[in-house]
Amino acid sequence: MEHIVGIVNDIVWNPGLVALLILAGLYFSVRTRFVQVRRFGLMLRSLFSRKAGGKGISSFQAFCIALSGRVGTGNIVGVATAIAFGGPGAVFWMWVVAFFGASTAFVESTLAQKYKFPHHSGYRGGPFSFIEKGLGLKWLGVAFAVITVVACGFFLTTVQANGVSSAVNNAFPVSKLVSGLVLAAVLGLVVFGGVQRIAKVASVITPFMALGYIVMAIIVIAVHWEAIPGVFASIFKGAFGINPVAGGIIGSTIAMGVKRGIFSNEAGQGTGAIVSAAADVPHPAQQGLAQAFSVYVDTLLVCTATALMILSSGTYNIISQGGELLYAGAPELGNNYVNYTQSAVDSVFAGFGSQFVSIAMVFFAFSTIMAYYFYAETGIIYLFNGRGSKGERITVRAFQVLMLVAVVFGAVREADVVWQLGDIGVGLMAWVTVVSLLILCPQAIRELKDFEQHRR
């Protein structure tokens, strides 16, 4: 199974997808006249926009759900994995993906708002909607919905659960099975409550957990302040293969930076568009701006905080694709990637790092799985044409149970195969979404121009 998963992962994440994500983000940036910079102030104000008397969730609640999906194990384990296989230079390519990805997030979220559809639980939509209605390709919309259900409901969920169980097992005498069962039980209390409960929980947990993690990171980085100039030098040198230690893995550096970047910020994956469609806002472009800002928060703040902690503390190794140890900053950690972050916090708060990171992982992964459920549920609703039929209700209920089983399964599996399954899910969604966005981009540009004209 692991061999087959590895082959499929290599096919999905070929160099063409890496180039497509970067070039598409560059194209969207140029077409929107770099809206992610030009309208930065408006991004912040758009977080709190809501149509008067609206029936859907607010823009801020949609922002929190999307951010909870973005801020997860990818920000802790994913960053550590990127450094392990791509060296410090992988961090630079995560920044590149985030900067250009903000424009991608704008385009996909604006289109999702334009093509959303009503449901008894509120507005729903996403790539499957704008693929069907914008491109006229019903079959591709259905295929994307199926991919979303499988990828978000099972593949990506197992990744998050595995990150939690590994972190908790490192810090406390708790087995991975127990961690998985507890996580599944608490998650069940939320997902069975529907979209409104998910929105309320996300709007409370997400800002709190992100702020607390960043504060801890600032403290660790401040203690190692003398190493920071060298850290940035290694990031920029490594990004272009100048660093002699990681110079021979420049391909992995770029690939891991892009792969882990999109895994974390989800720009172009389509999931941010799914939650954007649920918001009830005065203009589609406003939700596009709000979601663009969430990419910055995820990568430029949270991911960068993790990277600087690990690199300034030196608690990492660089490993070639063949398994050869190229740099042994912490040989005792081997390929225990979550421990890279835990050891970085331990370097300042001896004996507390493992506990803090494991607690952060629980919050991060819990909120992320909660968002994944929303994405997958929306895919099911689309497949049933949003009619709220008996078949839809039965399918959603069965899916809820199966997803909780996937949480327990992911908690006890080995990390490598779980991460590869997650990458396959992300890659498949990204291929379909980005190609569709390239075709439909002019519609998003018209919405942006219309919004700016109204403001003038």
Side-chain angles (χ1 to χ4, degrees), residues 133-405:
K133 298 176 182 177
L135 297 179
L137 299 174
K138 172 76 172 179
W139 68 269
L140 187 57
V142 170
F144 186 89
V146 172
I147 293 172
T148 300
V149 173
V150 175
C152 295
F154 304 111
F155 290 175
L156 296 173
T157 294
T158 58
V159 171
Q160 302 295 328
N162 185 270
V164 170
S165 65
S166 298
V168 172
N169 186 250
N170 284 343
F172 304 102
V174 178
S175 70
K176 292 186 174 183
L177 177 60
V178 171
S179 297
L181 290 171
V182 172
L183 181 63
V186 178
L187 185 69
L189 297 175
V190 179
V191 300
F192 284 112
V195 61
Q196 291 296 334
R197 184 178 297 178
I198 291 173
K200 290 177 181 177
V201 173
S203 62
V204 172
I205 290 180
T206 306
F208 164 77
M209 69 179 188
L211 181 61
Y213 186 76
I214 290 172
V215 169
M216 175 61 74
I218 289 173
I219 295 173
V220 174
I221 294 166
V223 172
H224 297 290
W225 66 272
E226 293 180 340
I228 296 302
V231 165
F232 279 100
S234 66
I235 290 174
F236 289 109
K237 289 181 179 179
F240 302 99
I242 300 174
N243 190 323
V245 174
I249 58 168
I250 183 63
S252 296
T253 299
I254 299 173
M256 288 302 296
V258 173
K259 185 185 293 188
R260 290 291 164 252
I262 190 173
F263 186 97
S264 178
N265 64 50
E266 299 184 0
Q269 183 181 329
T271 48
I274 294 173
V275 72
S276 291
D280 201 359
V281 294
H283 197 283
Q286 283 182 281
Q287 191 57 32
L289 290 169
Q291 290 303 320
F293 181 70
S294 68
V295 174
Y296 283 162
V297 174
D298 171 82
T299 305
L300 300 186
L301 285 180
V302 185
C303 284
T304 299
T306 299
L308 294 181
M309 277 199 297
I310 293 173
L311 295 174
S312 64
S313 304
T315 55
Y316 67 96
N317 301 315
I318 301 178
I319 307 166
S320 70
Q321 291 296 324
E324 179 187 357
L325 201 62
L326 302 178
Y327 173 78
E332 72 280 0
L333 300 181
N335 62 351
N336 189 348
Y337 310 121
V338 68
N339 219 342
Y340 291 8
T341 311
Q342 290 175 319
S343 296
V345 180
D346 269 336
S347 68
V348 176
F349 300 95
F352 177 63
S354 296
Q355 288 82 354
F356 173 80
V357 173
S358 64
I359 293 171
M361 284 280 289
V362 170
F363 278 103
F364 280 24
F366 173 76
S367 63
T368 299
I369 296 174
M370 188 170 61
Y372 286 164
Y373 167 77
F374 178 81
Y375 304 151
E377 183 194 67
T378 302
I380 294 173
I381 290 172
Y382 169 80
L383 291 173
F384 281 89
N385 298 314
R387 295 172 182 170
S389 63
K390 183 178 180 180
E392 177 192 300
R393 293 194 298 272
I394 293 173
T395 303
V396 167
R397 192 65 71 192
F399 170 75
Q400 289 170 338
V401 175
L402 290 174
M403 185 172 179
L404 297 181
V405 172

Side-chain angles (χ1 to χ4, degrees), residues 59-79:
S59 183
F60 181 71
Q61 287 177 322
F63 166 80
C64 287
I65 294 176
L67 188 60
S68 67
R70 290 182 165 109
V71 178
T73 58
N75 299 81
I76 296 177
V77 187
V79 173

